[in-house]
Amino acid sequence: MDIITVQHLTKVYGTGPAATRALDDVSFSIAEGEYVAIVGSSGSGKSTLLHLMGGVDRPTSGTVLLNGADVYARSDEELAVFRRREVGLVYQFYNLIPVLNVVENMTLPVSLDGRPVNEARLASLLASLGLEGREGHLPNQLSGGQQQRVAIGRALMNAPAVVLADEPTGNLDSKNSREIMALLRASNKEMGQTLVVITHDEDIALSADRIIAIEDGRVARDERIRR
Ligand code: ADP
Ligand code: ADP
């Protein structure tokens, strides 16, 4: 079954002569549980595409279906709830809140929704992410690899069907990169979570089920990796 359907997605930033067509009529589908790498040169439109799959921005035209539901038929308020509950977002520079500790950062999307924290899930995530004993630490008291683990914890807290990661290892050394990818892969393999990762790392791209290459706002290649 397809979990994500990108339909004729176009994104133009700005207006008039300064306008940039970041995405130009992009369409494809991603199956439930699939692990997709998105590659392409800088400025080709990868982040714009990922953000639009996650309800972070609105398209100029076209839309995205998640589990058959039109993401952009939602109001801005509904879209904020969608981002917190339905998808997990992971960024290159972690995007943690500096004044919140590990647990507060991980549970932020839940607290913003005014819902109770699933303590059992929090404990199991802290353990699997190797963050036990760090619960009260602030981001600046953690290494980059640890900060990215917290960001992954925040993304996984609501057990979203889809995890969207924008160069999650772009700021990490090779050992931490491998560990972070292994953590993202574990929940893809074990829970059938769909994983979409933007990467410049060829080894990571080749570890995916499928590589979508974006050039000048269009899909230049879409290949399944044969094993
Ligand atoms: P990539 O992730 O492949 O580097 P982006 O999606 O970030 O590409 O950017 C695609 C194009 O859109 C680039 O030309 C970029 O400069 C432009 N762009 C991205 N975000 C914005 C924005 N918020 N305002 C204006 N232009 C933007
Ligand atoms: P905004 O008020 O800017 O719309 P949100 O309410 O969507 O922000 O999110 C607030 C904070 O929670 C942000 O720092 C964001 O990075 C984080 N966050 C929200 N949803 C998710 C998610 N699905 N995965 C990871 N982090 C999230």
Side-chain angles (χ1 to χ4, degrees):
M1 203 197 88
D2 288 336
I3 187 148
I4 300 172
T5 308
V6 171
Q7 292 182 329
H8 301 290
L9 207 56
T10 293
K11 178 69 183 183
V12 180
Y13 293 108
T15 51
T20 303
R21 187 170 290 263
L23 285 181
D24 188 8
D25 194 18
V26 170
S27 299
F28 59 83
S29 294
I30 295 177
E32 192 170 1
E34 208 169 10
Y35 167 26
V36 179
I38 297 185
V39 304
S41 50
S42 181
S44 58
K46 305 180 298 297
S47 295
T48 300
L49 175 61
L50 199 83
H51 285 157
L52 289 174
M53 286 196 263
V56 176
D57 198 356
R58 283 186 186 273
T60 305
S61 60
T63 196
V64 175
L65 309 184
L66 199 132
N67 261 329
D70 186 342
V71 171
Y72 294 101
R74 293 174 165 85
S75 68
D76 287 352
E77 210 169 306
E78 290 167 337
L79 209 51
V81 174
F82 167 86
R83 284 196 296 276
R84 294 195 290 262
R85 294 189 189 170
E86 313 278 334
V87 295
L89 299 163
V90 178
Y91 299 93
Q92 180 175 1
F93 297 106
Y94 328 127
N95 280 20
L96 301 175
I97 309 288
V99 297
L100 299 183
N101 69 28
V102 166
V103 164
E104 290 163 343
N105 266 291
M106 277 177 61
T107 56
L108 185 63
V110 183
S111 331
L112 286 171
D113 269 351
R115 293 191 297 166
V117 171
N118 180 336
E119 296 292 343
R121 179 156 181 83
L122 175 61
S124 105
L125 272 174
L126 284 165
S128 64
L129 295 168
L131 290 168
E132 282 167 316
R134 307 272 173 190
E135 290 84 348
H137 285 55
L138 295 174
N140 69 9
Q141 298 172 307
L142 301 172
S143 71
Q146 289 168 335
Q147 290 184 58
Q148 193 61 299
R149 289 159 188 270
V150 177
I152 289 174
R154 179 181 61 188
L156 299 182
M157 193 61 212
N158 279 328
V162 176
V163 173
L164 304 169
D166 192 344
E167 293 192 54
T169 67
N171 200 39
L172 301 176
D173 62 28
S174 58
K175 178 169 174 285
N176 273 299
S177 295
R178 278 196 302 277
E179 289 174 5
I180 289 298
M181 285 314 298
L183 289 167
L184 289 171
R185 282 292 274 152
S187 106
N188 163 247
K189 279 190 193 145
E190 288 154 26
M191 318 211 335
Q193 205 162 38
T194 306
L195 176 61
V196 183
V197 177
I198 294 179
T199 187
H200 283 114
D201 182 321
E202 196 176 348
D203 290 338
I204 293 177
L206 289 171
S207 75
D209 302 325
R210 175 180 171 191
I211 301 179
I212 297 178
I214 305 294
E215 286 306 333
D216 292 329
R218 291 169 173 268
V219 175
R221 268 185 308 121
D222 185 347
E223 291 169 352
R224 236 154 264 285
I225 311 288
R226 272 195 270 161
R227 304 202 192 279

